[in-house]
């Protein structure tokens, strides 16, 4: 029986290198290489193929919907989606955090979002609470409300455009003449 020197047990573990997946029969052959039936130190530190692949960290609430190229998504209401990536055609109503429309992507309908990045085409009602970015290949047409806007050279913005993406509050509606509130 081999005795491990004390300095091996007190050492901090080093990051495991990513290894290619080995067939199961090879991985098991290394586990009992000493012939004593005891696993070797090398086998104890071996990485299983399933744990070798580490997925990228997922942000909290990071739900993402991607509508790929040549896909048409019509007549839907998109909710509880943090990021919508449009590479095909979407005809919908949505309330989201981020919308990204690729050069070949198109969105028709109504959207209320925090940040919009438009490389393709948007037609309809667009309310951007924070920042609207229209790139050189982007075209936005319709009723547009925004907090901040950035338009790259070549980008197009047409329609009913207004600064201020906040929806009409109940208090503002109550201040109009001819309306009264029941108390």
């Amino acid at each position: 029986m081999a005795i491990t020197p004390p300095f091996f047990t007190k050492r901090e573990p080093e990051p495991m290198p990513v290894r290619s997946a080995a067939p199961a029969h090879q991985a098991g052959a290394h586990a009992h290489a000493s012939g004593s039936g005891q696993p070797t130190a090398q086998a104890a530190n071996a990485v299983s193929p399933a744990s070798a692949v580490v997925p990228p960290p997922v942000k909290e609430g990071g739900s993402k919907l991607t509508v790929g190229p040549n896909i048409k998504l019509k007549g839907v209401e998109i909710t509880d989606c943090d990021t919508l990536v449009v590479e095909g055609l979407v005809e919908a109503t949505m309330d989201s955090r981020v919308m990204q429309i690729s050069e070949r992507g198109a969105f028709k309908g109504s959207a209320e979002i925090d940040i919009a990045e438009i490389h393709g085409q948007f037609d309809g009602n667009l309310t951007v609470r924070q920042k609207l970015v229209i790139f050189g290949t982007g075209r936005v047409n319709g009723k547009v409300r925004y907090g901040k806007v950035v338009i790259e050279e070549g980008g197009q913005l047409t329609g009913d455009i207004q600064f201020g993406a906040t929806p009409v509050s109940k208090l503002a509606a109550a201040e109009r003449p001819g309306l009264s509130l029941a108390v």
Side-chain angles (χ1 to χ4, degrees), residues 3-14:
I3 298 176
T4 308
F7 62 90
F8 283 123
T9 58
K10 294 181 182 178
R11 218 168 96 184
E12 290 294 320
E14 294 181 24

Side-chain angles (χ1 to χ4, degrees), residues 126-169:
L126 177 62
T127 301
V128 181
R129 294 181 282 266
Q130 293 176 13
K131 188 175 183 180
L132 169 61
V133 181
I134 303 172
F135 291 87
T137 56
R139 295 185 313 246
V140 177
N141 183 27
K143 185 176 181 180
V144 180
R145 305 290 175 262
Y146 63 89
K148 294 179 183 178
V149 66
V150 175
I151 304 174
E152 191 176 77
E153 184 176 345
Q156 299 174 13
L157 177 61
T158 57
D160 179 13
I161 316 300
Q162 285 189 357
F163 170 77
T166 56
V168 177
S169 68

Side-chain angles (χ1 to χ4, degrees), residues 93-130:
T93 301
M94 74 169 296
D95 190 348
S96 179
R97 196 177 76 67
V98 177
M99 176 193 300
Q100 299 169 336
I101 301 177
S102 71
E103 284 187 37
R104 294 187 178 180
F107 187 101
K108 294 180 181 181
S110 178
E112 291 189 24
I113 52 180
D114 292 336
I115 299 169
E117 298 173 358
I118 314 292
H119 292 271
Q121 185 172 341
F122 182 96
D123 287 310
N125 296 328
L126 177 62
T127 301
V128 181
R129 294 181 282 266
Q130 293 176 13

Side-chain angles (χ1 to χ4, degrees), residues 14-93:
E14 294 181 24
M16 296 274 190
V18 177
R19 299 179 186 176
S20 63
H25 67 278
Q26 288 179 357
H30 296 293
H32 298 288
S34 65
S36 65
Q38 298 287 334
T40 63
Q42 190 177 31
N45 291 333
V47 177
S48 69
S51 64
V53 179
V54 179
V58 178
K59 295 185 292 184
E60 269 188 53
S63 58
K64 182 177 183 179
L65 173 64
T66 300
V67 178
N70 301 321
I71 295 178
K72 296 176 183 172
L73 182 64
K74 293 184 176 185
V76 296
E77 181 178 346
I78 301 170
T79 58
D80 299 328
C81 176
D82 288 325
T83 302
L84 173 68
V85 179
V86 180
E87 297 171 347
L89 171 66
V90 175
E91 291 184 19
T93 301

